[in-house]
């Protein structure tokens, strides 16, 4: 007889703001600092205080992430959009003014576990918002006249108090968010219900870590409409695979994607795996999660160039991704000839 495992009932939960905990994000340098001492958060490995420091770190990560979202709304004037809608359990994605009605759009998708506004919790707390969050990407893209949409793939359930949460960090019963039950489904829902039929004509995805797989699924399962609208994908330390991709999809990746990958010696490690040109990111810090910050200038320059150009010319001729290598070779020849003229 199958016995359904018992889920613990959540205890009454008080949500503290970052200020409630005695910290704030410094408006000048973006560091998470103590309100009382103005000292930045510092994680110590000292055995005598390590346990307390870990507890403080775990206490601060969510309030600090929500503080970043507040900055996106209050300072960058981004619009929170309920997914699937405000009339049922939902999470929010964030759009710069007019992003979904313009011609050119950059879609930022974070990796596993974090809030949609944060590349990495540890970098956010130790290095501040300019390295650990999407803030600088949003500002750089806006300065170039591009709309920006920030997805929220890890908010998959709603707690009893109505706040969206992640399976990775919430203990207790929650209500699944329709269309966002998993990170991949969230990305697929936003694509099919918001992006695919929007007025936007040229889209660039910036996909970090595990979100690379979600974007690959769009290419795999909605090939024609994806290549019709998508100018490029900038992968950052992506975990995506080429398994079960047709030749047309692989051909598109060769022309419509680049992968920025952490390297400590100038040599990326997975050239054969990613199926697209690889850019080594010289990360000499002790934190691999610094890579999105270190490659920001290159990524923003790349997506700007691509969305200005528009979707990859002739990509629809690759077909549905099945056995179209000949078309790909011919297109490469045509592009080479046009570049030499």
């Amino acid at each position: 007889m199958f016995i359904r495992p018992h889920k613990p009932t959540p205890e009454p939960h008080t949500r503290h703001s970052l200020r409630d905990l005695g910290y704030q994000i410094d408006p000048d340098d973006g560091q998470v600092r103590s309100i009382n001492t103005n000292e930045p958060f510092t994680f110590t490995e000292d055995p005598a205080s390590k346990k307390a420091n870990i507890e403080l770190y775990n206490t601060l990560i969510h309030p600090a992430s929500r503080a970043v979202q507040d900055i996106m709304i209050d300072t960058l004037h981004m619009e929170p959009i309920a997914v699937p809608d405000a009339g049922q359990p939902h999470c929010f994605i964030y759009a710069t003014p007019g992003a979904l009605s313009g011609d050119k759009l950059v879609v930022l998708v974070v990796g596993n576990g974090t809030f949609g506004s944060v590349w990495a919790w540890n970098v956010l707390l130790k290095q501040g918002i300019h390295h650990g969050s999407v803030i600088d990407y949003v500002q750089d893209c806006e300065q170039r006249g591009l709309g920006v949409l920030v997805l929220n793939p890890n908010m998959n359930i709603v707690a009893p108090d109505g706040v969206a949460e992640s399976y990775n960090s919430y203990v207790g019963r929650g209500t699944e968010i329709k269309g966002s039950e998993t990170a991949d489904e969230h990305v697929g829902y936003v694509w099919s219900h918001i992006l695919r039929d929007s007025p936007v004509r040229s889209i660039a995805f910036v996909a970090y870590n595990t979100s690379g797989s979600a974007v690959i699924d769009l290419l795999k399962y909605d090939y024609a409409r994806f290549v019709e609208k998508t100018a490029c994908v900038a992968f950052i330390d992506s975990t995506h695979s080429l398994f079960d991709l047709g030749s047309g999809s692989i051909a598109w990746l060769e022309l419509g994607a680049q992968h920025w990958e952490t390297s400590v010696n100038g040599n990326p490690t997975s050239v054969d795996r990613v199926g697209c040109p690889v850019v080594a990111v010289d990360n000499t810090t002790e934190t691999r999660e610094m890579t999105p910050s270190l490659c920001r200038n290159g990524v923003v320059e790349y997506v700007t160039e691509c969305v200005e150009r528009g979707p990859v010319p002739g990509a629809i001729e690759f077909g549905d991704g099945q056995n179209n290598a000949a078309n790909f070779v011919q297109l490469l020849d045509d592009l080479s000839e046009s570049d030499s003229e």
Side-chain angles (χ1 to χ4, degrees), residues 52-81:
N53 212 244
I54 291 175
E55 291 176 353
L56 176 60
Y57 170 88
N58 289 332
T59 300
L60 291 177
I61 54 177
H62 284 190
S65 300
R66 297 190 194 281
V68 173
Q69 293 178 342
D70 290 341
I71 292 172
M72 290 165 57
I73 295 170
D74 298 335
T75 303
L76 303 186
H77 307 294
M78 299 186 78
E79 176 191 359
I81 300 171

Side-chain angles (χ1 to χ4, degrees), residues 156-186:
N156 312 120
I157 57 175
V158 170
D161 63 356
V163 177
E165 288 282 359
S166 167
Y167 282 118
N168 294 327
S169 58
Y170 182 74
V171 177
R173 288 188 174 90
T175 304
E176 287 189 333
I177 298 173
K178 182 180 179 181
S180 294
E181 293 89 346
T182 67
D184 289 0
E185 287 173 297
H186 173 84

Side-chain angles (χ1 to χ4, degrees), residues 17 23 46 53 118 142 160 180 202 244-246 256 308 315 320 322 336:
S17 70
Y23 285 81
D46 180 2
N53 212 244
V118 177
E142 275 208 291
S180 294
S202 184
D244 206 29
L245 281 185
E308 293 289 352
D320 61 0
Q322 301 297 321
S336 297

Side-chain angles (χ1 to χ4, degrees), residues 32 56 92-93 144 179 186 199-200 210 219-220 228 232 268 305 313:
V32 177
L56 176 60
F92 289 106
I93 59 177
R144 289 162 174 77
H186 173 84
V200 180
T210 52
L219 176 65
K220 182 191 299 186
E228 234 177 8
C232 69
E305 178 183 328

Side-chain angles (χ1 to χ4, degrees), residues 187-266:
V187 175
Y189 184 94
V190 173
W191 166 255
S192 60
H193 289 79
I194 296 175
L195 294 176
R196 191 170 63 191
D197 297 321
S198 72
V200 180
R201 293 190 295 179
S202 184
I203 298 174
F205 286 89
V206 178
Y208 175 51
N209 196 255
T210 52
S211 66
S213 298
V215 176
I216 285 291
D217 280 348
L218 304 182
L219 176 65
K220 182 191 299 186
Y221 297 116
D222 199 7
Y223 178 83
R225 286 180 289 194
F226 183 82
V227 303
E228 234 177 8
K229 213 171 186 75
T230 303
C232 69
V233 180
F235 296 107
I236 304 174
D237 275 344
S238 175
T239 61
H240 71 270
S241 167
L242 303 184
F243 177 75
D244 206 29
L245 281 185
S247 58
S249 296
I250 295 174
W252 187 90
L253 287 172
E254 291 282 354
L255 295 175
Q258 286 193 20
H259 186 201
W260 279 259
E261 185 173 288
T262 298
S263 171
V264 294
N265 56 12

